[in-house]
Amino acid sequence: MGKLIFKDQIYTFGQIQAGEWQENDPYIVQSLTFCKDWLNGKQEFDMQTSGSTGLPKKLTLYRSQMEISAAATKAFFKIEKGVSLLVCINTEMIGGKMMLVRGLCWHADIHLCLLESNPFNQISPKLNIGFCAMVPLQVEACLAEDFSSKILSKIGVLIIGGAPASDSLMQKIKSNGINAFQTYGMTETVSHIALAKIDGQELRYQTLPNVTIGTDEEKRLWIEAPMAKEKRLQTNDLVEIVGDGIFRWIGRADFTINSGGIKIQAELLEAEISKYVASVFGNIAYFLFGQEDEKLGQKMVLFLETSASQKHQAQKLLGILKDKMKKYHSPKEVFLIEEFVKTTSGKINRTKTAQLCF
């Protein structure tokens, strides 16, 4: 039987099942309450999608789906008994919920943290972490500090989700010898259904056991997975299938920019320009978007999450991109926004952010 540790307080699964805790922090209480419900056999859980490409919607997930997902991840990584899990992502969303479920199903020790960009500020550097999930922002913050980068490199398995890791971040992960994987999944598939090893090469996603994939006539991925409700889940992700259960992710079809008849995959290009953005602005959020244009149909523009006072630097960046990138891969204009519109899970809502300027 495992246990849950928060700060210096240790709760056995039996204590959690009985509701025996003394925590007052609302975030910790909701995490413990979910664990209590699970341990008492609750069968249905209401979840909300992130809303990154449309309106957020509520879904009911079944216990059996979550159990299948946890078992598939355990089989994929060959997780052994007695592993310690660090839960440092939002447990109100599917990624964090599934970290709790994995710990409960694997009878593991769950080390729970408050939400912070560098969760290692809250735990002992001597802790032996076997499995952890983070978002790219957290990985960046951990690598920026010497003490936490050393802890990160000792984690047995690190999965990264919520958003794609940039090319520069993936190079840092490789150079620090971190055993990390980019995830592919969504609320509808109960967290990830495929993982790609971050090793400095182009990402190739391998599906979890018993997951079948294919593409429609527009090269959009469909998924048949035992952890999903739908027999076949059609996504809006453009992929290239390169082997049995192995695919290369290209980008979302609804983020494709059609400029003068040339189709540009915004997310792939964003990864390519990350080093140039970082060279001028450091670690800031940004994205490419298609603005309606009478001549081109759409023209590609760049959004930067920074102060309007940085206009000179923005023009400098445009000049660099024009010099370094192909003609049709260079943004025609740049927009500076103090703070992007975010979804409930913290992802950038591109459409609503763009509407602030158009």
Side-chain angles (χ1 to χ4, degrees):
M1 199 68 167
K3 55 186 179 290
L4 185 146
I5 302 98
F6 172 63
K7 294 184 177 178
D8 57 353
Q9 189 65 52
I10 300 174
Y11 299 107
T12 67
F13 286 178
Q15 288 175 310
I16 296 172
Q17 187 174 11
E20 297 173 0
W21 61 72
Q22 295 84 43
E23 305 300 338
N24 295 315
D25 183 278
Y27 175 74
I28 300 301
V29 170
Q30 72 84 18
S31 299
L32 287 167
T33 300
F34 172 81
C35 292
K36 177 187 174 184
D37 289 341
W38 182 274
L39 291 166
N40 282 294
K42 187 173 179 179
Q43 296 297 311
E44 297 181 9
F45 299 87
D46 291 331
M47 295 295 303
Q48 185 161 299
T49 62
S50 65
S52 56
T53 59
L55 292 174
K57 59 183 178 181
K58 287 188 176 181
L59 294 176
T60 298
L61 298 180
Y62 295 101
R63 183 188 189 92
S64 59
Q65 294 176 261
M66 301 168 92
E67 288 173 333
I68 291 168
S69 177
T73 297
K74 184 179 182 183
F76 185 94
F77 287 114
K78 298 179 174 60
I79 300 292
E80 296 182 356
K81 191 175 181 180
V83 69
S84 289
L85 274 68
L86 178 64
V87 180
C88 55
I89 58 174
N90 192 348
T91 58
E92 293 183 288
M93 306 303 291
I94 188 61
K97 280 276 194 298
M98 281 307 302
M99 282 299 295
L100 294 176
V101 170
R102 290 175 194 124
L104 294 166
C105 288
W106 300 350
H107 304 290
D109 287 346
I110 303 170
H111 295 266
L112 181 62
C113 293
L114 293 169
L115 298 177
E116 187 178 347
S117 57
N118 189 339
F120 297 129
N121 291 324
Q122 302 176 50
I123 64 170
S124 167
K126 296 180 181 178
L127 178 63
N128 183 22
I129 304 166
F131 191 88
C132 177
M134 289 186 175
V135 297
L137 179 67
Q138 289 175 311
V139 182
E140 287 274 14
C142 291
L143 287 172
E145 302 285 346
D146 187 55
F147 83 97
S148 51
S149 64
K150 290 178 181 176
I151 300 173
L152 205 61
S153 65
K154 295 178 182 177
I155 292 177
V157 174
L158 173 67
I159 60 173
I160 302 172
S166 66
D167 280 359
S168 61
L169 177 56
M170 288 194 286
Q171 288 302 321
K172 291 177 190 175
I173 288 169
K174 180 179 181 292
S175 63
N176 279 271
I178 299 166
N179 186 34
F181 294 77
Q182 178 78 52
T183 66
Y184 175 85
M186 60 206 76
T187 306
E188 291 87 342
T189 58
V190 194
S191 183
H192 55 258
I193 54 90
L195 298 126
K197 171 74 172 172
I198 298 175
D199 57 6
Q201 305 299 314
E202 188 175 39
L203 294 179
R204 292 286 190 270
Y205 289 88
Q206 172 67 63
T207 56
L208 294 182
N210 301 315
V211 173
T212 302
I213 59 171
T215 56
D216 65 7
E217 63 278 2
E218 296 178 17
K219 302 298 182 183
R220 297 179 306 170
L221 179 71
W222 56 254
I223 302 162
E224 293 178 355
M227 60 281 287
K229 281 183 184 179
E230 297 88 345
K231 179 174 174 21
R232 176 175 289 189
L233 179 65
Q234 179 64 60
T235 78
N236 212 21
D237 287 304
L238 299 170
V239 303
E240 177 190 4
I241 296 179
V242 295
D244 185 17
I246 303 172
F247 64 92
R248 183 176 73 91
W249 181 77
I250 298 171
R252 287 195 60 86
D254 44 0
F255 293 162
T256 300
I257 301 167
N258 190 335
S259 184
I262 295 174
K263 291 185 178 180
I264 303 166
Q265 303 304 329
E267 290 155 308
L268 284 184
L269 192 55
E270 285 161 7
E272 194 175 337
I273 69 171
S274 64
K275 58 186 177 183
Y276 303 121
V277 176
S279 70
V280 178
F281 286 95
N283 185 28
I284 67 166
Y286 66 95
F287 67 92
L288 296 166
F289 199 79
Q291 181 182 14
E292 288 188 18
D293 182 83
E294 190 172 322
K295 181 180 178 182
L296 297 171
Q298 285 183 311
K299 67 176 181 180
M300 185 171 66
V301 297
L302 174 64
F303 284 85
L304 300 171
E305 191 175 49
T306 189
S307 167
S309 64
Q310 298 295 308
K311 287 182 180 179
H312 177 73
Q313 292 297 91
Q315 291 305 311
K316 176 183 176 182
L317 175 60
L318 280 184
I320 292 173
L321 294 176
K322 186 176 181 180
D323 181 55
K324 299 291 186 181
M325 306 299 291
K326 295 177 183 177
K327 180 180 178 181
Y328 292 103
H329 287 178
S330 174
K332 300 293 186 288
E333 195 174 348
V334 62
F335 294 95
L336 310 181
I337 296 181
E338 193 80 36
E339 185 175 357
F340 289 166
V341 180
K342 306 290 199 314
T343 68
T344 53
S345 64
K347 296 179 185 178
I348 299 169
N349 189 316
R350 297 171 182 241
T351 302
K352 287 189 177 180
T353 299
Q355 287 172 348
L356 297 175
C357 299
F358 296 167

